Amino acid sequence: MKLTNKNYYSTKANQAFFSVSQVKDFLKCEAYAMAKINGEWVEEPTTPMLIGSYVDSYFEGTLEEFKERTPQIFKKDGTLKSDYIKAQQIIGRLHQDELFMSCMSGKKQVIMTGEIYGANWKIKMDSYIPHEAIVDLKVVKKLREVSYHKGWKQSFIEKSRYDLQLAVYQEIVRQNTGELLDCIIAAVDKQDYPDLDCILIPNDQLKFQLDQLRWKMPHFIDVKNYNVPAKRCGVCDYCRATKKLEKLIFPDDLIVFD
Ligand SMILES: [Zn+2]
């Protein structure tokens, strides 16, 4: 199957290839991931996702097409809703920064495929600068917000597994070109005065993320090929929407222990 910008997100492409977002779905809930892959569970894009797409499509040079196919970003009188006026202001801010714009100066939405841990993968890069760098654009809530995971502080990059995403991109680009490129997150946030930075993810961190994935992939491949039933997490939107009561429970069952 030859991937293009038209069929990249199609059910056929999702069934034929693994992607980072699929792996993130599998880590969350296997039943949910499979329902999405098969097109049984379709999620409407959220406002934060649409703001991200707005900025992405601006850099890709396809903002007009994006506006045409996304009427929900407009008010009844035809003007942009405030969230997208904000997106427009963010774009204006990014234009004032030379380093940010140079990170975003690569080829846009470049698709590549490759093989990792026994599966075929697809990637689509926001800004690909051949021989130099792979850049992914992120519009986040607050750039310097830290969260805790098992007692460790982490940034939005680890929390959202953007390091895993770029680890996969780096490996697929290496397979296609023989070059190990720098991996950068070009990030901007939605504060009144947006914070912005271009963050180079160390190769050690990328390697660690890819190594961690090695042990999980055989199971995900088995589930995706229907060799093993997909486990239900029991608490996600998909699981709640499709849940069937089988027995009475006790009050203690309502308390989830990690
Ligand atoms: Zn679930």
Side-chain angles (χ1 to χ4, degrees):
M1 179 177 190
K2 172 100 183 108
L3 292 181
T4 63
N5 269 311
K6 276 219 157 61
N7 69 13
Y8 186 86
Y9 294 110
S10 67
T11 299
K12 221 177 139 201
N14 288 339
Q15 287 171 338
F17 295 93
F18 266 89
S19 65
V20 176
S21 54
Q22 275 178 27
V23 164
K24 287 205 266 185
D25 289 345
F26 272 114
L27 289 166
K28 211 172 113 191
C29 173
E30 295 173 10
Y32 160 77
M34 288 302 287
K36 266 177 81 177
I37 288 169
N38 294 325
E40 289 160 30
W41 184 255
V42 180
E43 284 172 339
E44 287 302 313
T46 60
T47 299
M49 280 161 73
L50 287 175
I51 292 170
S53 304
Y54 187 101
V55 179
D56 268 339
S57 68
Y58 167 78
F59 279 102
E60 197 194 352
T62 57
L63 184 57
E64 287 315 307
E65 287 107 296
F66 174 78
K67 284 179 175 173
E68 270 167 39
R69 63 165 195 273
T70 322
Q72 64 267 45
I73 68 174
F74 295 100
K75 289 192 286 199
K76 281 203 184 90
D77 66 5
T79 58
L80 280 173
K81 286 183 186 166
S82 62
D83 286 315
Y84 308 96
I85 291 172
K86 176 91 231 172
Q88 202 57 57
Q89 288 164 351
I90 286 171
I91 291 167
R93 176 65 186 90
L94 298 180
H95 263 282
Q96 297 166 7
D97 194 88
E98 213 177 304
L99 177 59
F100 201 100
M101 291 307 281
S102 85
C103 284
M104 288 309 297
S105 68
K107 298 183 188 173
K108 306 302 184 314
Q109 306 302 329
V110 176
I111 293 169
M112 285 188 190
T113 58
E115 203 210 299
I116 302 174
Y117 304 142
N120 292 317
W121 288 72
K122 57 172 178 156
I123 64 166
K124 184 146 97 154
M125 292 171 279
D126 286 342
S127 173
Y128 169 55
I129 310 170
H131 319 299
E132 276 186 53
I134 301 161
V135 183
D136 208 73
L137 174 65
K138 301 292 183 199
V139 182
V140 301
K141 203 168 134 233
K142 200 156 179 268
L143 205 74
R144 288 185 155 70
E145 195 162 65
V146 294
S147 54
Y148 289 86
H149 178 67
K150 293 177 182 166
W152 294 85
K153 263 189 189 174
Q154 58 179 7
S155 73
F156 78 95
I157 291 180
E158 292 83 19
K159 188 181 181 209
S160 301
R161 296 181 175 270
Y162 295 146
D163 47 0
L164 172 65
Q165 179 187 350
L166 283 169
V168 169
Y169 287 14
Q170 188 187 50
E171 171 58 16
I172 300 289
V173 170
R174 191 195 62 75
Q175 290 178 15
N176 282 269
T177 65
E179 294 174 316
L180 199 69
L181 301 190
D182 283 347
C183 288
I184 298 166
I185 297 279
V188 60
D189 71 20
K190 293 179 258 191
Q191 299 184 76
D192 288 345
Y193 293 91
D195 197 359
L196 61 161
D197 264 303
C198 294
I199 305 130
L200 175 71
I201 305 188
N203 280 337
D204 289 352
Q205 187 172 352
L206 298 171
K207 189 176 175 304
F208 177 78
Q209 288 299 324
L210 207 56
D211 285 347
Q212 292 294 98
L213 186 62
R214 177 191 303 273
W215 314 109
K216 294 173 183 141
M217 278 309 289
H219 177 66
F220 296 161
I221 293 170
D222 273 343
V223 174
K224 197 170 170 182
N225 291 338
Y226 297 97
N227 295 329
V228 181
K231 257 192 239 106
R232 297 170 65 89
C233 75
V235 293
C236 73
D237 288 353
Y238 170 78
C239 285
R240 273 185 279 116
T242 57
K243 136 179 195 179
K244 189 174 168 294
L245 304 188
E246 276 156 4
K247 57 175 192 210
L248 303 177
I249 66 164
F250 296 108
D252 271 358
D253 294 328
L254 298 172
I255 301 165
V256 181
F257 297 97
D258 291 325

